[in-house]
Amino acid sequence: MNNKLETISNLFEENEIRSIWNSEQEDYYFSVVDVINALAEPKDARKYWSSLKARLKKEGSEVTTNCSQLKMLAPDGKIRQRDAMKTKDIFRLIESVPSPKAEPFKVWLASLGKERIDEVFDPEIAANRVVNYYRAKGYTDEWIKQRLIGIVDRFKLTDIWKDGGIDKPVEFALLTNEIYKTWSGMKANEYKEFKGLRKESLRDNMTDVELALTNLGELTTRDRKYECC
């Protein structure tokens, strides 16, 4: 596992939140004490977390069970084990912290929940959100069109793999790596590293040519499957 120790600044009103990037899980682990210190500003963040942890356990919350012990840089310059949680679990923790500073996060999470419910009843809302997101990022309409077509074609390919008995994420990853290696000479994770990406989508950071080669590779793989059948 290639973890990179770093500090994320300006995330909570310029409070520093220590974090570790897990390249295998493609997710950040955040220091629980740092988040609590930024939101509740207790005299002793570690004691506050200990009390909050006990209360959450008593209430039957699963948040505390998803807490990991990871080595992080302490204020005194030494490396020590600290409680850390992944992004999703940190959001759940924030919802449990009784602090006015946590309210904006809670409102934002509630808004996201409402948006997803609306999209269940009207899927076009989700499609429009995706297109508007890509446009706001500066992508051309032609690139967006190619990206969306690629998503649909990817589903068609994975459906064929599933019909052939492929059903585990690691198996999908291995097959996908073979497609990437065909035109780039690198596995998907190696290509992400080559581009300096972490949690960002690899395909969202491809040029028109790279995206076309990826889509073509998956389309060719799918067509060969049909020919074999």
Side-chain angles (χ1 to χ4, degrees):
M1 182 169 67
N2 179 24
N3 285 331
K4 183 177 180 181
L5 183 67
E6 65 174 26
T7 299
I8 292 183
S9 302
N10 304 319
L11 185 61
F12 292 79
E13 297 182 356
E14 299 188 357
N15 287 280
E16 291 189 340
I17 310 296
R18 287 170 294 176
S19 70
I20 290 179
W21 169 252
N22 186 309
S23 59
E24 290 183 353
Q25 298 180 15
E26 294 192 345
D27 206 346
Y28 282 100
Y29 278 80
F30 296 94
S31 165
V32 173
V33 170
D34 288 354
V35 171
I36 286 177
N37 194 51
L39 293 176
E41 296 182 336
K43 292 182 179 179
D44 190 325
R46 294 182 69 181
K47 286 184 178 180
Y48 185 100
W49 166 230
S50 180
S51 299
L52 178 60
K53 188 189 300 185
R55 176 173 67 81
L56 291 173
K57 284 184 178 179
K58 188 175 181 180
E59 294 174 354
S61 174
E62 297 180 356
V63 174
T64 56
T65 62
N66 297 326
C67 190
S68 302
Q69 281 276 317
L70 299 177
K71 292 181 179 180
M72 292 187 171
L73 186 66
D76 61 5
K78 296 181 179 179
I79 301 294
R80 291 193 174 88
Q81 293 279 355
R82 290 290 181 262
D83 283 348
M85 291 183 180
K86 291 191 291 187
T87 308
K88 180 185 70 174
D89 298 316
I90 277 293
F91 281 144
R92 293 179 64 190
L93 176 66
I94 290 172
E95 292 180 307
S96 304
V97 177
S99 166
K101 287 190 175 182
E103 287 307 308
F105 290 93
K106 295 177 183 179
V107 171
W108 176 64
L109 290 172
S111 176
L112 286 181
K114 179 184 180 304
E115 288 178 6
R116 297 302 173 268
I117 291 174
D118 290 342
E119 290 170 2
V120 170
F121 291 100
D122 186 357
E124 187 176 346
I125 295 176
N128 290 336
R129 176 171 56 83
V130 171
V131 172
N132 288 330
Y133 168 81
Y134 283 134
R135 279 184 167 181
K137 285 285 188 177
Y139 295 100
T140 65
D141 286 347
E142 185 58 35
W143 185 97
I144 296 172
K145 180 180 179 181
Q146 189 175 184
R147 179 73 174 94
L148 295 179
I149 291 174
I151 291 174
V152 175
D153 286 341
R154 173 70 180 180
F155 273 112
K156 293 178 180 178
L157 177 59
T158 55
D159 285 343
I160 292 174
W161 286 343
K162 289 176 184 177
D163 290 340
I166 303 298
D167 57 3
K168 297 178 181 178
V170 65
E171 295 173 327
F172 286 115
L174 289 172
L175 292 172
T176 300
N177 282 335
E178 291 303 314
I179 295 174
Y180 275 98
K181 285 163 63 177
T182 300
W183 67 267
S184 72
M186 292 180 279
K187 299 177 182 178
N189 63 328
E190 293 173 339
Y191 207 66
K192 286 190 74 170
E193 187 174 346
F194 170 74
K195 283 180 165 287
L197 303 175
R198 285 191 168 182
K199 198 172 178 62
E200 304 92 333
S201 166
L202 175 56
R203 300 193 193 212
D204 284 355
N205 287 274
M206 287 182 172
T207 63
D208 290 353
V209 174
E210 291 172 324
L211 197 59
L213 288 171
T214 303
N215 292 344
L216 180 60
E218 293 187 339
L219 184 61
T220 302
T221 302
R222 195 183 78 208
D223 288 346
R224 284 179 178 174
K225 178 65 178 178
Y226 280 128
E227 289 174 2
C228 292
C229 298

